[in-house]
Amino acid sequence: VGEVVIPGQSEQSFVLAAHLCHPAMVNDDLTGVLVGLEAAKALLSGPKPYFTYRLLIVPETIGSLAYLSHNEALIPGMVGGLFLEMLGNDSPHALQGSFQPQSQVDRCFRSALTALDAHSYSAPYRTVINNDERQFNAPGVRVPMLSLSRVEPPGSPNWPYAEYHSSLDTPAIVTEERLQTSAQVVLDLIEAWECNQYVVNNFKGEVFCSGYGIWIDYLTNPEGHRRLFEIMERCDGSRTVADIAVELEISFQAVWEVVSQLQAKELVWLSRAPNP
């Protein structure tokens, strides 16, 4: 088992995992390891995150079980995770949810991915492809771990991808550009996760938007005007950014853009816990 720890301000940890399973295959799953390492390098060289991040490189299934069995004390502090696999082939990004589909990490990643890859899709737990995330979601552990892969949608004749579990899974089906794109998607998902806090209002009643310089004209931009007020109405300390995005069926980034403006005007503040 290989482990890279990126220390955060909090001892609560988020787990990135990738496995080494089949010999002489590249996409399954050396690519997940490479993307995980790129993400870890970027996190180590950047500003200190709020959460502690752990990248695990394990033999499939037994490696995750062994790690968890030897580190049971860490499990209560694991707030979520993302398993990385099959990220070098030419398929859309697929986000598979955790066993706890309403967890904050599920809500955050599901709403954020839509703005990161227009061709991506999301599906429930164990409906895309399943591997080591099962061990983290299992009874007695219950860490909400999602997975990110490049897998054809279920029902496709080439599911999960044409060269899967064959001698054709070679470097020829992988490109550095796709690996870099996937690494950036992982980092952008983590950035959203770091931002995902409860939005607490400093205001009472409806905000005097033009007085704060955040008015959106309903004649020239009716959609923007409606969204601004829909988001502000939900800034009451009981919802995270992801909660608002899921409720309004818009991207995490669209909500965060408005919340950031409200925060800059000191109309709201962010909390790691509910604060209604």
Side-chain angles (χ1 to χ4, degrees), residues 1 3 56 58 61-76 78 132 135-136 138-143:
V1 172
E3 182 180 28
L56 303 180
V58 294
T61 303
I62 189 66
S64 292
L65 288 169
Y67 178 83
L68 290 166
S69 71
H70 283 278
N71 294 279
E72 287 198 50
L74 295 176
I75 295 173
M78 292 179 179
D132 287 72
Q135 315 315 322
F136 288 83
V141 184
R142 286 291 193 255
V143 174

Side-chain angles (χ1 to χ4, degrees), residues 220-250:
T220 59
N221 186 358
E223 177 70 11
H225 175 89
R226 181 169 64 88
R227 288 300 188 200
L228 171 63
F229 280 89
E230 285 179 333
I231 292 169
M232 284 194 300
E233 285 172 339
R234 288 162 174 79
C235 296
D236 59 4
S238 69
R239 295 170 174 86
T240 63
V241 178
D243 289 335
I244 296 172
V246 170
E247 191 172 330
L248 295 177
E249 298 183 339
I250 57 179

Side-chain angles (χ1 to χ4, degrees), residues 163-237:
E163 302 83 4
Y164 179 65
H165 280 191
S166 79
S167 59
L168 297 177
D169 192 342
T170 70
I173 69 168
V174 171
T175 70
E176 184 177 352
E177 180 182 6
R178 288 196 287 265
L179 293 174
Q180 289 176 338
T181 298
S182 293
Q184 190 58 54
V185 167
V186 172
L187 289 169
D188 289 342
L189 289 173
I190 289 173
E191 181 180 4
W193 177 242
E194 288 278 311
C195 293
N196 187 43
Q197 299 183 60
Y198 289 87
V199 188
V200 188
N201 53 303
N202 280 330
F203 60 89
K204 296 179 180 179
E206 197 168 88
V207 174
F208 177 29
C209 291
S210 58
Y212 283 96
I214 58 174
W215 173 256
I216 298 176
D217 194 319
Y218 60 86
L219 294 176
T220 59
N221 186 358
E223 177 70 11
H225 175 89
R226 181 169 64 88
R227 288 300 188 200
L228 171 63
F229 280 89
E230 285 179 333
I231 292 169
M232 284 194 300
E233 285 172 339
R234 288 162 174 79
C235 296
D236 59 4

Side-chain angles (χ1 to χ4, degrees), residues 86-208:
M86 306 175 193
L87 288 167
N89 59 303
D90 189 18
S91 295
H93 282 105
L95 183 70
Q96 178 175 265
S98 79
F99 184 77
Q100 304 171 62
Q102 297 308 316
S103 75
Q104 281 298 316
V105 65
D106 279 78
R107 286 172 160 248
C108 180
F109 283 7
R110 195 165 63 240
S111 59
L113 184 62
T114 57
L116 301 176
D117 181 353
H119 302 290
S120 65
Y121 68 95
S122 299
Y125 179 60
R126 295 194 73 154
T127 62
V128 178
I129 189 126
N130 57 89
N131 279 302
D132 287 72
E133 74 283 344
R134 303 195 317 268
Q135 315 315 322
F136 288 83
N137 283 290
V141 184
R142 286 291 193 255
V143 174
M145 179 176 279
L146 298 85
S147 75
L148 184 70
S149 57
R150 289 181 181 267
V151 173
E152 293 296 319
S156 167
N158 290 324
W159 179 90
Y161 59 96
E163 302 83 4
Y164 179 65
H165 280 191
S166 79
S167 59
L168 297 177
D169 192 342
T170 70
I173 69 168
V174 171
T175 70
E176 184 177 352
E177 180 182 6
R178 288 196 287 265
L179 293 174
Q180 289 176 338
T181 298
S182 293
Q184 190 58 54
V185 167
V186 172
L187 289 169
D188 289 342
L189 289 173
I190 289 173
E191 181 180 4
W193 177 242
E194 288 278 311
C195 293
N196 187 43
Q197 299 183 60
Y198 289 87
V199 188
V200 188
N201 53 303
N202 280 330
F203 60 89
K204 296 179 180 179
E206 197 168 88
V207 174
F208 177 29

